[in-house]
């Protein structure tokens, strides 16, 4: 595909007229899926250049940082782009007003806030076009998985989807939920893990009748035990999706293999080291995201607080998009006395694979630099001898790190849901 054709796609889909927007954007998705990796890269560079040109002109924070060589020229200077500083969550709070378009009052916009790990609320603004594009991305994935967006039950109130999908409110009685599922002819559902479990428990208890085609869980840690439970009760596949409030949906878990397919239409995703340079293919690093669609508050090289790595090779599932393996939240690290750290999610995944059916639920708590505790609820194949194997397994994960004491505690139940999310790792240091 010639570069001029790619430019035409970009020009068409960045039109802001409501009437064209949806079909143009959906068309961009299907065209992108037929492109070679090189063509997708050209498409992304072209969008990066347009975004930087706009941000330089309209956003005070970016006017100072973006130089002319990034906004002009026939070929995009990716090396210079990689010299732009990483936009951290702290910078987002500090430069709040400067990151928003000049004369915001002239625009029609929606505001939403999220309180991150720092506890200080972050503010985001976006216009209607941004919301429509976010919704179209979700729709593309939902269509790909095999259902109509209008019959999609959404269990998290979501500002950009509120007029399109069926929102399932909380709290809701089982009678009202059953009525909603039937009246709206809901064929698939999405929600955070705790709400999917709520739905599954009601189905299991015979209070709700619901046979979805598939179910999508948020990007929380979904243990094998929970996934198997949901798949058994719903009698359909369960997928994870990847994204956050600030960026909207970034990708969908590959239905055939591991990792998330990241959409090239919404964003440019990089995996970088501590100096903000791209790591070599397949190496682990910080995930930073540049969102193409938010004209009122463009996020450029934004550190979303996750770590991961790219997976090489084409996929057989039908989604022709790069695959990213998500390692975990940056904060979810077990810390050692010498300053080194180890991904808690990696340890949890290891336990999950090795002790499937033995552990029903688990949580790791780091009490000090010298001590961690694994709390677990026993599964149906649990025997007392397994406690020693669990401890030995965790010690084997820490080989090469300074000594740390591991305590394994069996509990009858584990209430680790906070604000609707399962906290699988808690650090008290
Ligand atoms: Zn795939």
């Amino acid at each position: 595909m010639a570069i001029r054709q790619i430019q035409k796609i970009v020009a068409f889909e960045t039109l802001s007229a409501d009437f064209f927007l949806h079909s143009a954007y959906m068309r961009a998705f299907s065209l992108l899926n037929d492109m070679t990796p090189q063509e997708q890269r050209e498409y992304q560079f072209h969008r990066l250049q347009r975004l930087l040109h706009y941000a330089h002109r309209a956003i005070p924070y970016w006017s100072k940082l973006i130089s002319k060589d990034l906004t002009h020229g026939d070929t995009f200077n990716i090396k210079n782009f990689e010299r732009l500083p990483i936009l951290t969550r702290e910078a987002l709070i500090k430069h709040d007003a400067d990151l928003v378009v000049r004369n915001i009052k002239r625009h029609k916009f929606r505001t939403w806030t999220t309180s991150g790990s720092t506890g200080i609320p972050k503010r985001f603004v976006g216009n209607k076009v941004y919301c429509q594009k976010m919704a179209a991305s979700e729709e593309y994935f939902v269509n790909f998985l095999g259902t109509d967006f209008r019959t999609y039950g959404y269990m998290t109130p979501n500002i950009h989807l509120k007029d399109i999908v069926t929102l399932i409110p909380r709290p809701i009685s089982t009678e009202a939920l059953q009525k909603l599922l039937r009246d709206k002819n809901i064929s698939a559902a999405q929600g955070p893990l705790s709400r999917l479990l709520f739905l599954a428990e009601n189905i299991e208890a015979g209070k709700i009748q619901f046979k979805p085609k598939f179910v999508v869980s948020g990007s929380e840690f979904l243990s094998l035990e929970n996934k198997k439970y949901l798949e058994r009760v719903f009698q359909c596949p369960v997928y994870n999706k990847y994204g956050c409030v600030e960026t909207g949906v970034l990708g969908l878990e590959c239905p055939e293999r591991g990792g998330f397919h990241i959409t090239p239409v919404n964003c440019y995703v990089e995996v970088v080291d501590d100096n903000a340079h791209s790591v070599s293919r397949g190496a682990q690093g910080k995930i930073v995201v540049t969102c193409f669609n938010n004209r009122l508050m463009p996020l450029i090289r934004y550190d979303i607080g996750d770590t991961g790595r790219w997976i090489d090779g084409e996929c057989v599932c039908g989604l022709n998009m790069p695959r990213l393996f998500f390692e975990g939240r940056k904060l979810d690290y077990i810390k050692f006395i010498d300053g080194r750290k180890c991904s808690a999610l990696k340890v949890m995944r290891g336990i999950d694979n090795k002790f499937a059916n033995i552990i029903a639920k688990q949580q790791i708590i780091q009490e000090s630099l010298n001590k961690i505790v694994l709390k677990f609820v026993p599964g149906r194949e649990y025997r007392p001898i397994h406690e020693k194997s669990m401890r030995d397994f965790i010690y084997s994960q820490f080989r090469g790190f300074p000594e740390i004491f591991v305590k394994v505690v069996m509990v009858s139940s584990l209430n680790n849901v906070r604000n609707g999310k399962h906290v699988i790792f808690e650090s008290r240091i």
Side-chain angles (χ1 to χ4, degrees):
M1 190 175 291
I3 182 73
R4 203 163 326 135
Q5 218 171 334
I6 290 169
Q7 287 171 353
K8 226 163 94 185
I9 299 168
V10 175
F12 191 48
E13 75 177 50
T14 44
L15 283 173
S16 57
D18 278 8
F19 180 72
F20 289 116
L21 184 93
H22 183 263
S23 59
Y25 209 63
M26 294 304 265
R27 188 166 160 265
F29 268 107
S30 47
L31 284 171
L32 257 286
N33 215 39
D34 292 334
M35 286 186 193
T36 64
Q38 181 55 32
E39 285 165 347
Q40 288 191 0
R41 214 170 141 79
E42 275 172 27
Y43 164 86
Q44 292 207 296
F45 285 179
H46 190 63
R47 289 210 68 182
L48 278 175
Q49 193 174 37
R50 284 180 72 120
L51 175 77
L52 296 178
H53 187 267
Y54 170 78
H56 177 260
R57 202 162 38 85
I59 317 287
Y61 178 84
W62 295 113
S63 297
K64 294 173 219 150
L65 294 170
I66 296 169
S67 54
K68 237 187 169 160
D69 58 307
L70 282 170
T71 58
H72 290 80
D74 290 338
T75 49
F76 181 64
N77 195 332
I78 190 70
K79 282 273 160 275
N80 278 356
F81 175 74
E82 289 178 358
R83 288 195 188 104
L84 285 176
I86 300 289
L87 180 64
T88 60
R89 290 173 178 226
E90 293 72 32
L92 204 64
I93 295 162
K94 191 174 162 200
H95 302 286
D96 180 62
D98 270 0
L99 283 157
V100 174
V101 70
R102 289 190 179 96
N103 302 321
I104 180 85
K105 288 197 179 108
R106 285 217 313 258
H107 299 263
K108 267 192 178 171
F109 63 92
R110 292 172 173 178
T111 304
W112 55 103
T113 50
T114 165
S115 95
S117 48
T118 50
I120 307 165
K122 296 190 292 281
R123 178 178 71 114
F124 298 93
V125 292
N127 59 7
K128 194 175 169 192
V129 171
Y130 171 68
C131 294
Q132 282 176 318
K133 286 186 173 179
M134 286 293 103
S137 316
E138 301 241 8
E139 183 172 356
Y140 180 79
F141 285 131
V142 168
N143 290 348
F144 170 78
L145 291 173
T147 205
D148 189 314
F149 209 36
R150 282 164 302 186
T151 64
Y152 197 50
Y154 210 89
M155 290 193 278
T156 319
N158 201 317
I159 199 161
H160 65 262
L161 294 170
K162 85 175 172 30
D163 308 324
I164 313 163
V165 297
T166 302
L167 293 178
I168 300 173
R170 184 169 75 169
I172 187 167
S173 67
T174 46
E175 294 78 23
L177 178 57
Q178 181 67 76
K179 188 173 183 308
L180 196 66
L181 293 172
R182 206 175 27 231
D183 290 356
K184 298 283 181 180
N185 204 11
I186 300 301
S187 62
Q190 173 175 319
L193 182 58
S194 53
R195 295 215 68 201
L196 294 177
L197 290 172
F198 161 80
L199 187 54
E201 281 156 14
N202 274 298
I203 293 172
E204 214 182 13
K207 294 180 189 163
I208 297 276
Q209 288 196 335
F210 179 46
K211 278 217 159 137
K213 285 185 189 167
F214 62 88
V215 160
V216 177
S217 163
S219 55
E220 279 176 75
F221 178 73
L222 182 64
S223 72
L224 277 181
E225 190 75 16
N226 274 334
K227 191 174 163 112
K228 272 195 244 161
Y229 169 73
L230 293 176
E231 286 182 336
R232 178 171 62 76
V233 177
F234 288 123
Q235 295 178 38
C236 70
V238 175
Y239 305 111
N240 253 327
K241 80 167 187 174
Y242 184 51
C244 63
V245 184
E246 301 93 301
T247 61
V249 61
L250 294 171
L252 177 76
E253 184 184 12
C254 175
E256 302 281 336
R257 297 173 177 187
F260 290 88
H261 283 288
I262 302 296
T263 158
V265 182
N266 279 350
C267 53
Y268 180 71
V269 173
E270 300 166 84
V271 178
V272 302
D273 60 21
D274 287 341
N275 298 319
H277 298 133
S278 277
V279 295
S280 55
R281 199 87 193 160
Q284 195 199 319
K286 270 194 279 202
I287 299 172
V288 296
V289 181
T290 299
C291 303
F292 296 141
N293 298 326
N294 194 347
R295 307 276 284 179
L296 301 189
M297 190 175 177
L299 295 180
I300 298 166
R301 304 202 87 201
Y302 177 56
D303 178 357
I304 60 173
D306 293 337
T307 55
R309 60 184 160 81
W310 290 111
I311 307 170
D312 268 340
E314 279 178 30
C315 197
V316 290
C317 74
L319 281 174
N320 178 22
M321 302 175 184
R323 249 180 328 143
L324 186 74
F325 187 78
F326 169 72
E327 302 269 1
R329 300 263 139 184
K330 209 169 63 184
L331 296 166
D332 292 345
Y333 277 96
I334 297 163
K335 294 192 183 81
F336 292 87
I337 206 145
D338 66 349
R340 281 189 292 161
K341 51 195 185 170
C342 170
S343 162
L345 191 62
K346 196 174 144 230
V347 178
M348 306 296 275
R349 277 208 185 104
I351 296 172
D352 204 38
N353 281 321
K354 200 163 162 62
F355 300 100
N357 304 329
I358 293 168
I359 289 182
K361 221 171 164 192
Q362 52 162 325
Q363 186 185 31
I364 289 182
I365 298 158
Q366 179 158 23
E367 292 190 344
S368 69
L369 288 171
N370 302 311
K371 186 180 176 187
I372 65 159
V373 180
L374 169 73
K375 281 189 185 176
F376 74 97
V377 178
R380 59 183 186 279
E381 287 173 19
Y382 169 78
R383 303 283 175 276
I385 192 169
H386 290 129
E387 282 190 31
K388 187 181 174 309
S389 337
M390 286 176 208
R391 209 166 33 239
D392 290 349
F393 176 78
I394 300 175
Y395 277 126
S396 75
Q397 300 294 298
F398 298 152
R399 209 168 283 144
F401 285 104
E403 208 172 312
I404 193 162
F405 178 69
V406 177
K407 191 176 170 189
V408 174
V409 183
M410 185 170 85
V411 290
S412 55
S413 66
L414 197 55
N415 180 18
N416 58 340
V417 178
R418 314 249 186 287
N419 303 325
K421 282 201 164 191
H422 280 77
V423 180
I424 54 153
F425 172 67
E426 193 179 312
S427 179
R428 294 183 183 159
I429 51 170

